[in-house]
């Protein structure tokens, strides 16, 4: 569906018997960090209106996190946001940031469902 790219497959490939929850832990850290970055960004918008360089710095940080985990749709929207910053288009930035937040929320739901399925399929109790 385009939410993830091959980078997430590489993260999953790092999972092994010694660290069976590696991907879930990485995703959990991603959401903790990305949520913090987005809150910082919202504060920057309020405290520093039309400070496009500051806004761009925050969005670059979020885009980097998205790239490392393979969150392609969020990353692509971060790119759109950064383009609006380059144009100094505050309205475009605002609309784009709403899309970033929406894509982030959808991705979170999808990952929660995915890991729930993985968890239940690996730990189904046997009744002998």
């Amino acid at each position: 569906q385009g939410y993830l790219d091959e980078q997430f497959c590489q993260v999953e490939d790092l999972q092994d018997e010694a660290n069976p929850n590696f991907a879930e832990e990485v995703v959990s850290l991603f959401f903790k960090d990305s949520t913090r970055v987005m809150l910082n960004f919202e504060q920057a918008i309020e405290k520093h209106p039309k400070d496009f360089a500051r806004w761009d710095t925050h969005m670059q940080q979020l885009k980097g996190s998205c790239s490392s985990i393979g969150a392609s749709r969020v990353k692509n929207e971060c790119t759109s946001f950064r383009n609006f910053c380059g144009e100094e288009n505050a309205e475009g930035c605002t609309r784009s940031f709403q899309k970033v937040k929406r894509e982030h929320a959808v991705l979170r739901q999808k990952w929660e469902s995915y890991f729930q399925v993985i968890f239940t399929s690996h730990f189904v109790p046997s009744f002998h």
Side-chain angles (χ1 to χ4, degrees):
Q1 295 176 344
Y3 287 96
L4 301 171
D5 61 24
E6 64 280 348
Q7 183 62 31
F8 182 67
C9 295
Q10 292 177 10
V11 170
E12 281 186 313
D13 288 345
L14 294 173
Q15 199 162 270
D16 59 17
E17 289 178 14
N19 199 353
N21 298 325
F22 180 77
E24 186 173 7
E25 291 169 10
V26 169
V27 168
S28 179
L29 287 172
F30 164 77
F31 278 109
K32 182 179 179 184
D33 182 57
S34 61
T35 300
R36 179 189 52 78
V37 169
M38 289 194 309
L39 288 173
N40 290 343
F41 179 78
E42 287 178 326
Q43 292 171 353
I45 288 174
E46 290 177 23
K47 293 179 183 177
H48 307 283
K50 297 190 178 187
D51 186 343
F52 296 102
R54 183 181 304 263
W55 295 1
D56 186 61
T57 298
H58 284 287
M59 197 55 66
Q60 176 61 24
Q61 186 178 5
L62 181 58
K63 182 181 174 189
S65 293
C66 291
S67 294
S68 68
I69 197 75
S72 60
R73 286 179 68 155
V74 181
K75 178 185 74 173
N76 292 342
E77 199 53 55
C78 290
T79 299
S80 294
F81 179 93
R82 295 189 71 219
N83 290 337
F84 286 121
C85 277
E87 298 167 1
E88 297 189 354
N89 180 341
E91 185 178 314
C93 287
T94 301
R95 283 192 320 268
S96 185
F97 184 60
Q98 293 307 314
K99 290 179 183 177
V100 167
K101 291 192 322 185
R102 190 169 43 249
E103 291 294 346
H104 186 267
V106 168
L107 183 60
R108 179 181 214 117
Q109 289 175 327
K110 289 188 177 296
W111 258 327
E112 286 173 352
S113 296
Y114 173 75
F115 285 116
Q116 186 62 36
V117 167
I118 295 294
F119 180 77
T120 56
S121 68
H122 281 58
F123 297 102
V124 175
S126 60
F127 300 100
H128 294 287

